[in-house]
Amino acid sequence: MHKPEKPVLSLLTKGVSDNIPLWLMRQAGRYLPEYQEIRKQANGFIDFCLTPSLAAEATLQPLRRFDVDAAILFADILLVPFALGAKVSFLEGEGPRLDPMEDEKKVEELFYTQETIAPVFETLRRVKPQLKDYQTLIGFCGGVWTVACYMIDGQGRQDFVKAKEAAFHQPAFLKALMKKIEEASLAYLLGQIDAGAEVIQIFESHAGQLEGQAFDDFIIQPTQRLVEGIRKQHPNFPIIGFPRGASLDDYKKYFHQTGISGCGLDQNVSLEEAKEQLLPLGCLQGNLDPTLLLEGGAAMERQAKKILGALGSNLIFNLGHGVMKETNPDHMARLVSLVHGFQKGAEA
Ligand code: CP3
C-alpha cells in the first residue's frame, strides 16, 4: 500500500494525506507483556522514564507489534513537577502521589532544572533513527492546568477539589504555580523538539473540571502561550491539543483560540457535533472509547467504522483516552488493520 511521507505530520501541517493515519494514546505500557518485562529492570517508574535505553525500548515496543503511524515518547506528564523539585512517586496499583502544594511559599521553592529530565531528550534521539519513513515522532507534556491539578491535590482524583478551590479562592497562588509549570513545560518541549520530536501533544486530561471564565483563564490562555512560545522558535510547528472532558463549546473555543494544529477528542464528543462544528476548524484526533478496544469484536469495529466514516476527511484515528491495562493486544492488531483497510469515502 502506498503511504505518503508521514501521514500524521502531513495532516497536521498540510491538511492532506492519502490514508487515515492512526496511533493510540498509551500504546506503550502495561497491557503489553514485553513492557511488564522491562519495567522490572528499573527502580520505580520515574527511574524507568529517565533511563533512555529502557524508555526507548518501551516507545518502540508497540511499533514492533502494530503498524501504527506514530511513536509517542515514553515518559510521563509528571516529569515536569519532578524537574521543578516536587516529590513525585508512583505507587503500584494506586497511581501517582505528590506532596500537595498549599501556598505561594511552596511555589517559590520550585526551581526547574532541565538536566533532571534531559535523559528524555536522549530517548528521543535513540528512537528517531529506528522509525520507518512514514512514522512520526510525537513528544508531549501535560496541560498546565492538568499538571497543577496533580501538584495541588497530590494525586489523581475524580474532582480535583483543592485545585478547583484554588481557581476560585486562591487565584494568585494558582497563577504563580501555573507560571512555573508553564515556563518549565515550554523549556521541556523546546528540548524535545531539538532532540527530534516532530509533533507535540499537550494532554489537558482534566480540562473537563473547568468551564466558563475559569476555562479561559486556566486552560485556553496558558495553552495559547505554550503554542506561541514553541512557534516563536519553530514557526508553524504542529501541535495537538487534547482538552479531555470539555463541553462542545469549550472544545470549539479551545481549538479556535489556542492556535493548535489538531484537536484530540474524547469519546464523549458526539460524531455528528464533531463533524459539523469541529471538523471545519481543522484536523481531529480520536475518539474510540478505550472500553470498546478492551471489549474488541463487532462493537469495536462498528464504532471504529462510524468514526472513520464521519471524520475520515481530516482525521488521525485514536482512542478517546489511553489504552486500558487489561486490553488484549490482539484487539489492537485488529483495530489497526481495520483502520488501514478503510477506504476514504466508504459508507460508515
Ligand atoms: O504510550 C504512551 O502513551 C506514552 C507514555 C505516557 C505515559 N503517561 C506512561 C505511563 C503518556 C503520554 C502519559 C501521559 C499521562 N500521564 C497523562 C495524560 C494522559 C491521560 O492518561 O490522561 C496523565 C494524566 C499521566 C499521569 C499518570 N501517570 C497517571 C495518572 C498514572 C497512573 C495511572 C496508570 O495508568 O498507571 C501514570 C503512570 C504511567 N504513565 C504508566 C505509564 C505506562 C504506568 C506505570 C507503570 O508501569 O506502573
Side-chain angles (χ1 to χ4, degrees), residues 163-237:
K164 273 193 288 198
E165 255 169 34
F168 299 115
H169 303 300
Q170 298 170 280
F173 158 59
L174 181 59
K175 282 189 177 147
L177 175 61
M178 289 184 69
K179 185 160 188 277
K180 292 239 171 156
I181 299 169
E182 184 186 313
E183 287 169 359
S185 302
L186 179 59
Y188 180 48
L189 293 178
L190 290 171
Q192 291 185 32
I193 294 168
D194 285 344
E198 299 167 291
V199 167
I200 290 296
Q201 173 150 330
I202 301 172
F203 285 91
E204 196 73 272
S205 299
H206 302 300
Q209 299 289 340
L210 297 179
E211 54 187 17
Q213 190 60 42
F215 190 91
D216 286 7
D217 292 347
F218 300 115
I219 295 181
I220 294 192
Q221 286 179 31
T223 308
Q224 208 171 39
R225 288 192 296 266
L226 269 186
V227 170
E228 259 173 33
I230 292 172
R231 301 251 175 89
K232 219 158 122 187
Q233 301 209 16
H234 303 275
N236 304 318
F237 197 87

Side-chain angles (χ1 to χ4, degrees), residues 51 103 109 122 133 141 149 182 199 228 256 259 303 305:
T51 306
D103 50 36
E109 291 164 12
E122 176 60 19
D133 57 4
C141 72
C149 280
E182 184 186 313
V199 167
E228 259 173 33
H256 191 64
Q303 184 61 19
K305 285 182 196 158

